[in-house]
Amino acid sequence: MEIRPILSAMLRSKTGPVLIALQIAITLAIVVNSAFIINQRLEHMHRLTGMDHENLVFARSYGFGPNHDTLATIREDIDALLAMPGVRNAAYISGIPLSGSGSNSGFLPHPPEGENDPDSTNANYYNGDHRLAEALGLKIIEGRWFHPEEIEFDPTDTSYGAMPKVVVVTRAWADAAFGEGEPVVDRLVYDSIGRSARIIGVIEHMQGAWVNWDELDQVIILGNISAAHSVITYAINVEPGQKETRRSRRSCRRSTATAWCSACARTRTTSPAATTPTAR
Amino acid sequence: MFAYYLRLALLSIRRNPVLSGLMMAAIAVGIGAFMTMLSVHHFMSGNPIWWKNDVLYAVGVDTWNPNETYYQSRPELPPQQLTYRDAKALQASDIPTYKAYMFNVVGVFQPENEEIAPFIERGRMTFNDFFAMFDVPFEYGGAWGEQADRRDEFVVVLSREINDKLFGGENSVGKRVVIDGREFMVTGVLKEWHPAPKFYDVTTGAFQEPEAFYLPAQLYETLQPDRSGNTNCWKPENLDSFQAFNNSECTWIQYWVQLDTREQQQRYADFLHAYLQEQASVGRSARPDQYLMATPEEWLEINEVVADDNRVLVGLSFLFLIVCLLNTVGLLLAKFLGRAGDISVRRALGASRLDIFRQQLIECGFIGLLGGIAGLGLAGVGLMVVRKMYRFEGSSMMDGEMILVAFITAVLASIAAGLWPAWQICRVPPAGYLKTQ
Amino acid sequence: MLKMQNISKVYRTDLVQTHALRDFSLEVAEGEFVAVTGPSGSGKTTFLNIAGLLEDFDGGSYLLDGEDVSNLNDNQRSKIRNAKIGFIFQGFNLIPDLNLWDNVDVPLRYRGFSAAERSKRIKEALEMVGLGSRMKHLPSQLSGGQQQRVAIARALAGTPRLIMADEPTGNLDSLMARQVMELLENINEQGTTIIMVTHDPELARRAHRNVHVMDGQVTDFTEFERAANKRERDALGG
């Protein structure tokens, strides 16, 4: 290709090159800005969640009525879920991670001193049962997960984050509260009013509710079932490739005492029934 | 002469359909992208109750943590929501024309029709004043009577959507619905009502759909419903019972008043100040000067309803529009220079440079108008995608104002794009193009 | 009608300067029919462009209809072109996507006539050139001779005092050329001054007066003729 005639033509008429240069400059500005925004989003998306989210489905059930028996409902529902073909595991959890809806509070490595103890370290907290680690695909790096008999339920305590006997924390929270790399298994964690629980295990990663929150990786799993809300969430681990088919199936059961509806997996939306008590 | 130029523009487009089409496409794509983003911004920054902006006030009182303010960046502001105690205390004032505290709950509907499975819906507990204060439109019936705000009456107002679902859209006033196992009597059914942003409660997303049902807040302690929404607590205290929670310093209630006169507004401000002083004097954490009376517009601004991202996107899409216009400039140059012959003939026959310049610009404006129409179509598609992605429901985001802006932008932008080419073409010496054709 | 004195015109490019006209002087009286002849490149088209106010000149003076036009702005020049001058080109230069009516309409639009006035003038002009029945046709539907007659109608519609014709028959066969020439003669008889550039000696002979241009200057036509006759005689005698 002859370059010289093109160049000389370009030199003679200034309009064309100026137009092209302007377009390139502005396009570049757009691309750079978009790339920056996209990159930010990608960073969020590619953060380690610590969960087997490829095969995770969440279902919610809402119990009501005077004869509603939370424990029995959970037991029956989980049995029913486990009996479904393609379901590898199912567990109770109080909320859906990364859904934008959840609970967060300050926890301490020692009993609180006064109303504003500076050692209070934020954590997204969830209530969970003995199956939850396997259902979410969490990796336990220190200690162990809950035994079935450790999971408590007190129907009279309607507070959010009622302290159980045992908890599991993420390494990120342990680092923030106790110091980088400190061994925490068998140490006590306190809530803001001084109730304590024993740390029995540490998980490598898990994420809380709010994608854009700085302390997203600081999570505590409480080894009890919450009576604070009527909504029960199930984390269901399905065999690879089953997620879409499970997602499309909606089942609802009706009885005189209880009714439950599965609102199926909506991993990243605000669920209608969750509340977010936070200690700022 | 304008009509003559318009006719010439049409002829010129017909003569050069490909070039003209490309230009329109360039403008359409630019306008489409820009208008999509601008409409989203316009929609987000709208004030859905503008006609009452000078009489409605979101109320806040600061009984937050004595050691730190609620907003780190704006320490002068009280918390976004109220505690139950404060809400009840404020509700006792008789200064406002209308006053209502309000919060979200969830409830399970059990339709009489066994074919329809029970379903969960979000509801709002509030006062009779809510409906009058916000000019909420009713299809059937109306708000519950004032007595239901003072003693328990199991009454409910339904949204249009839920009435469609339960009663097929028929007048259900006086009928019964079962929520969480209790019977409620319908006193009213709303018309379609989608205030966007949902100014009266932005805590769980400013563009959430309004609630499916409304109950008297009076029933709160009787029903002990599941609350939904945002709860913020600062004080380490035991919250292990319904009573304990209600007496706590947790904030979770929205509060609005209507104050029609300057005098009312002043008196209400004094009332809030006195209330906080009184609370401080009985040993509660309270900052007497930190009360808030924000108009809907101020309230939306305080709560940063318009996302920064959105502003960036408006800027980027505007830059994109400029790129499209630069393309149009190139295309126009090609088109106009191709017409140097005709232009020279017109010049010889007595057209001044200004005449030619005008003719070209009118043609540009006309192409811009056509491109703008196509761009509006593209923006419509773009907005559909945005609505799907962000789950903005209800009202259309493209209003008359935006359509007008789209046309004006399209026409002005293409005239701007035409300035340089038109200047070039009207400066072409005619003599050179007349000898041969 | 037209008085040029010592007009000069220089075209400059980066490399060369070309004197298109030098010391060009010419006077044309009202009602004359002047033919301007000369070999190609002699400057006759440049003369026509300057005379028709389509181009500036570098030196000398030019009075058109008694008015000094050397310092007019674009708008004023356009007005004079529009009102006083009618152009007829070798290539007809009709606007292809306008029908005959609209083509003739062009100068009248810029003149600012009312719709009724324009309509009257367009009809008269097209009827005068014998195309009154084809007003809605597009130029491409006409023969070359017809197209040139439309161009003449367009030039006449504004009733100019001066017609500038640049090789008006150059693209036409001889029959059509004769018709066009007759038309021009009729127009001239009605009092319109005509300046016609041509290299066809036969056409030139039908004009009242011939002006010969050579190297950007008017050469004395009679001398040129005498010289030519002499060559002829020499050839015969030889």
Side-chain angles (χ1 to χ4, degrees):
Chain A
M1 196 159 89
E2 283 282 354
I3 294 294
R4 275 187 51 196
I6 298 177
L7 280 179
S8 67
M10 273 172 68
L11 287 176
R12 220 172 301 137
S13 132
K14 288 196 198 89
T15 319
V18 167
L19 274 181
I20 292 169
L22 267 176
Q23 284 194 42
I24 292 174
I26 298 176
T27 309
L28 215 64
I30 297 175
V31 169
V32 167
N33 275 289
S34 312
F36 180 73
I37 295 173
I38 291 168
N39 194 36
Q40 257 185 342
R41 296 289 188 283
L42 281 179
E43 254 173 45
H44 281 181
M45 283 168 70
H46 289 160
R47 280 185 307 208
L48 286 171
T49 64
M51 292 176 277
D52 181 20
H53 47 79
E54 291 292 313
N55 301 309
L56 266 178
V57 180
F58 290 91
R60 323 202 79 175
S61 111
Y62 185 93
F64 63 93
N67 302 322
H68 175 65
D69 180 342
T70 306
L71 277 186
T73 306
I74 293 175
R75 199 181 315 119
E76 282 171 31
D77 286 346
I78 288 184
D79 284 348
L81 286 167
L82 289 173
M84 287 168 83
V87 172
R88 293 196 293 205
N89 217 325
Y92 161 84
I93 185 171
S94 56
I96 303 174
L98 295 169
S99 65
S101 167
S103 303
N104 151 51
S105 184
F107 294 87
L108 300 102
H110 52 74
E113 287 155 22
E115 282 194 350
N116 260 54
D117 193 313
D119 291 339
S120 174
T121 306
N122 269 322
N124 280 268
Y125 63 87
Y126 293 96
N127 306 86
D129 70 1
H130 59 285
R131 287 192 180 90
L132 185 62
E134 262 185 63
L136 291 179
L138 302 175
K139 189 175 169 198
I140 300 158
I141 53 172
E142 292 163 51
R144 60 173 178 86
W145 194 255
F146 310 125
H147 295 317
E149 65 278 7
E150 284 172 328
I151 306 300
E152 300 169 61
F153 177 60
D154 176 3
T156 62
D157 186 349
T158 54
S159 62
Y160 297 89
M163 282 301 256
K165 288 201 186 66
V166 288
V167 299
V168 171
V169 302
T170 58
R171 191 65 242 176
W173 185 82
D175 284 349
F178 287 88
E180 196 84 18
E182 280 288 306
V184 295
V185 172
D186 282 337
R187 294 178 74 168
L188 292 180
V189 53
Y190 295 84
D191 73 3
S192 57
I193 55 170
R195 296 178 297 193
S196 67
R198 191 165 54 93
I199 302 173
I200 58 163
V202 177
I203 46 181
E204 189 177 29
H205 287 295
M206 180 170 168
Q207 290 189 324
W210 303 285
V211 180
N212 291 315
W213 196 41
D214 293 341
E215 294 158 336
L216 182 65
D217 294 322
Q218 300 178 13
V219 180
I220 294 183
I221 311 280
L222 308 175
N224 58 1
I225 285 161
S226 167
H229 24 202
S230 319
V231 174
I232 302 162
T233 307
Y234 300 108
I236 307 161
N237 198 309
V238 297
E239 278 164 17
Q242 290 281 311
K243 186 164 171 173
E244 289 313 306
T245 52
R246 290 292 149 228
R247 191 190 284 257
S248 61
R249 192 178 296 175
R250 288 174 159 251
S251 60
C252 283
R253 198 173 64 189
R254 187 187 174 101
S255 72
T256 46
T258 65
W260 69 271
C261 311
S262 76
C264 298
R266 286 162 115 215
T267 38
R268 283 181 196 244
T269 61
T270 311
S271 58
T275 53
T276 57
T278 63
R280 291 173 154 258
Chain B
M1 217 54 186
F2 185 75
Y4 179 61
Y5 288 144
L6 265 188
R7 217 180 80 206
L8 292 181
L10 245 173
L11 277 171
S12 153
I13 289 167
R14 223 184 290 161
R15 185 178 177 187
N16 253 326
V18 177
L19 264 185
S20 311
L22 278 175
M23 269 181 264
M24 283 177 220
I27 292 167
V29 169
I31 288 288
F34 179 56
M35 287 318 296
T36 303
M37 292 310 159
L38 198 65
S39 298
V40 172
H41 185 267
H42 177 72
F43 169 80
M44 283 182 144
S45 55
N47 178 359
I49 188 106
W50 50 270
W51 61 95
K52 292 186 91 170
N53 196 54
D54 50 349
V55 293
L56 291 186
Y57 294 90
V59 176
V61 290
D62 198 337
T63 53
W64 192 251
N65 193 343
N67 300 307
E68 64 179 35
T69 53
Y70 184 85
Y71 295 99
Q72 275 176 351
S73 55
R74 298 184 71 173
E76 76 284 5
L77 289 175
Q80 192 184 28
Q81 301 181 95
L82 300 189
T83 65
Y84 188 55
R85 307 157 63 165
D86 291 333
K88 285 189 85 163
L90 297 192
Q91 192 67 13
S93 163
D94 55 6
I95 301 165
T97 311
Y98 297 118
K99 56 184 189 289
Y101 66 76
M102 57 193 81
F103 49 89
N104 265 345
V105 294
V106 283
V108 169
F109 280 76
Q110 285 170 284
E112 265 180 44
N113 182 353
E114 297 265 329
E115 296 289 293
I116 308 175
F119 53 91
I120 307 176
E121 288 291 350
R122 224 159 19 86
R124 177 157 293 261
M125 296 193 99
T126 184
F127 288 81
N128 153 294
D129 278 0
F130 175 91
F131 303 96
M133 184 157 60
F134 296 147
D135 287 348
V136 183
F138 276 89
E139 181 79 50
Y140 306 117
W144 52 78
E146 273 177 50
Q147 72 287 349
D149 287 338
R150 290 191 299 272
R151 62 180 156 74
D152 285 7
E153 276 184 31
F154 292 85
V155 286
V156 63
V157 167
L158 299 179
S159 73
R160 186 203 162 105
E161 288 79 1
I162 204 88
N163 188 57
D164 284 352
K165 193 165 173 180
L166 290 173
F167 298 104
E170 278 176 29
N171 187 347
S172 58
V173 172
K175 292 196 178 160
R176 297 189 176 269
V177 293
V178 179
I179 306 170
D180 277 5
R182 259 185 219 266
E183 277 200 345
F184 291 82
M185 193 191 78
V186 178
T187 68
V189 175
L190 302 188
K191 283 202 168 90
E192 198 106 14
W193 189 55
H194 294 281
K198 205 177 98 184
F199 64 96
Y200 55 86
D201 179 7
V202 296
T203 54
T204 52
F207 300 95
Q208 216 178 25
E209 270 189 276
E211 292 74 17
F213 64 99
Y214 301 83
L215 299 176
Q218 166 66 24
L219 293 173
Y220 170 64
E221 290 179 32
T222 310
L223 296 177
Q224 305 200 1
D226 251 32
R227 292 177 300 104
S228 159
N230 222 308
T231 305
N232 285 295
C233 312
W234 60 270
K235 190 173 186 171
E237 52 191 335
N238 202 331
L239 304 173
D240 61 1
S241 70
F242 184 73
Q243 252 344 296
F245 176 76
N246 290 342
N247 291 329
S248 74
E249 294 290 358
C250 292
T251 62
W252 54 283
I253 294 177
Q254 304 90 49
Y255 200 84
W256 285 83
V257 291
Q258 177 169 332
L259 303 165
D260 288 316
T261 65
R262 186 59 50 92
E263 187 258 332
Q264 256 178 319
Q265 290 158 16
Q266 187 53 51
R267 272 175 60 209
Y268 197 70
D270 294 344
F271 161 73
L272 293 178
H273 188 250
Y275 171 73
L276 283 170
Q277 266 177 335
E278 178 201 309
Q279 292 301 307
S281 71
V282 299
R284 243 181 114 199
S285 162
R287 296 183 175 91
D289 296 321
Q290 303 260 59
Y291 57 86
L292 176 77
M293 289 164 59
T295 63
E297 205 175 293
E298 290 164 350
W299 184 241
L300 294 170
E301 196 272 318
I302 288 170
N303 287 288
E304 293 172 355
V305 162
V306 181
D308 278 347
D309 271 8
N310 188 256
R311 291 201 188 91
V312 172
L313 284 176
V314 171
L316 286 183
S317 64
F318 183 70
L319 285 182
F320 180 67
L321 173 64
I322 289 182
V323 172
C324 293
L325 287 180
L326 288 175
N327 271 302
T328 311
V329 173
L331 290 166
L332 278 171
L333 273 175
K335 180 175 179 177
F336 285 177
L337 291 178
R339 286 223 311 263
D342 280 7
I343 298 297
S344 299
V345 173
R346 287 186 177 275
R347 295 273 285 132
L349 297 179
S352 66
R353 280 191 190 133
L354 194 66
D355 290 325
I356 300 298
F357 194 67
R358 258 189 228 137
Q359 182 192 337
Q360 306 307 323
L361 286 194
I362 286 171
E363 181 172 337
C364 289
F366 189 63
I367 286 176
L369 193 72
L370 297 181
I373 292 172
L376 268 182
L378 289 180
V381 174
L383 286 176
M384 254 165 56
V385 174
V386 170
R387 282 243 284 275
K388 266 217 147 100
M389 273 169 56
Y390 290 89
R391 293 161 198 260
F392 290 156
E393 313 286 344
S395 57
S396 124
M397 295 159 102
M398 185 74 95
D399 57 12
E401 196 185 333
M402 279 294 106
I403 290 172
L404 195 71
V405 169
F407 280 126
I408 292 173
T409 314
V411 171
L412 287 186
S414 16
I415 287 178
L419 284 174
W420 170 250
W423 171 244
Q424 290 287 87
I425 187 67
C426 75
R427 277 176 58 227
V428 163
Y433 290 88
L434 292 170
K435 186 70 183 164
T436 49
Q437 208 180 22
Chain C
M1 183 72 220
L2 175 151
K3 188 177 180 188
M4 285 185 173
Q5 264 180 329
N6 305 329
I7 295 281
S8 66
K9 174 76 187 176
V10 184
Y11 291 112
R12 288 187 183 83
T13 66
D14 293 343
L15 301 174
V16 281
Q17 268 193 19
T18 318
H19 285 264
L21 296 178
R22 60 178 105 199
D23 276 341
F24 188 98
S25 300
L26 179 68
E27 208 166 328
V28 176
E30 178 107 47
E32 258 195 300
F33 189 152
V34 178
V36 179
T37 58
S40 52
S42 60
K44 57 188 193 303
T45 298
T46 305
F47 152 71
L48 201 75
N49 286 337
I50 289 173
L53 304 184
L54 292 170
E55 248 180 271
D56 284 329
F57 49 91
D58 298 314
S61 72
Y62 175 19
L63 296 181
L64 178 63
D65 203 14
E67 189 180 353
D68 184 355
V69 296
S70 42
N71 288 317
L72 298 181
N73 66 23
D74 175 73
N75 199 26
Q76 291 163 322
R77 291 154 70 92
S78 300
K79 281 219 170 75
I80 293 176
R81 275 203 302 275
N82 184 258
K84 291 188 178 169
I85 307 174
F87 285 96
I88 299 165
F89 305 100
Q90 177 178 8
F92 323 138
N93 283 352
L94 298 177
I95 296 174
D97 33 36
L98 299 182
N99 63 28
L100 303 196
W101 173 283
D102 286 329
N103 259 293
V104 178
D105 192 26
V106 171
L108 307 180
R109 287 277 181 176
Y110 294 118
R111 190 82 158 264
F113 284 138
S114 70
E117 174 78 13
R118 283 188 286 114
S119 167
K120 187 179 132 247
R121 280 171 180 260
I122 295 165
K123 269 187 214 146
E124 276 175 10
L126 279 172
E127 269 156 21
M128 188 191 154
V129 299
L131 289 166
S133 60
R134 314 187 71 167
M135 292 191 258
K136 297 289 162 204
H137 284 60
L138 286 175
S140 57
Q141 294 168 303
L142 303 182
S143 71
Q146 287 170 325
Q147 287 192 43
Q148 192 59 302
R149 272 150 55 197
V150 176
I152 293 170
R154 183 175 67 183
L156 287 176
T159 51
R161 307 268 303 280
L162 175 63
I163 295 258
M164 305 265 187
D166 189 1
E167 306 274 13
T169 60
N171 285 7
L172 302 178
D173 63 35
S174 55
L175 179 69
M176 286 181 173
R178 201 176 312 137
Q179 285 175 347
V180 165
M181 202 53 210
E182 276 161 16
L183 202 50
L184 287 178
E185 279 166 346
N186 282 340
I187 294 162
N188 178 245
E189 274 160 28
Q190 282 159 33
T192 310
T193 313
I194 297 183
I195 299 174
M196 177 176 73
V197 166
T198 181
H199 60 257
D200 182 342
E202 196 189 328
L203 278 185
R205 215 162 287 143
R206 292 174 71 163
H208 297 173
R209 178 155 74 100
N210 278 13
V211 173
H212 192 73
V213 182
M214 194 88 123
D215 293 333
Q217 274 183 313
V218 179
T219 50
D220 190 301
F221 180 72
T222 36
E223 279 193 17
F224 166 76
E225 199 171 38
R226 207 178 296 136
N229 286 346
K230 186 165 170 281
R231 268 202 303 279
E232 229 169 282
R233 270 200 307 279
D234 289 349
L236 284 172

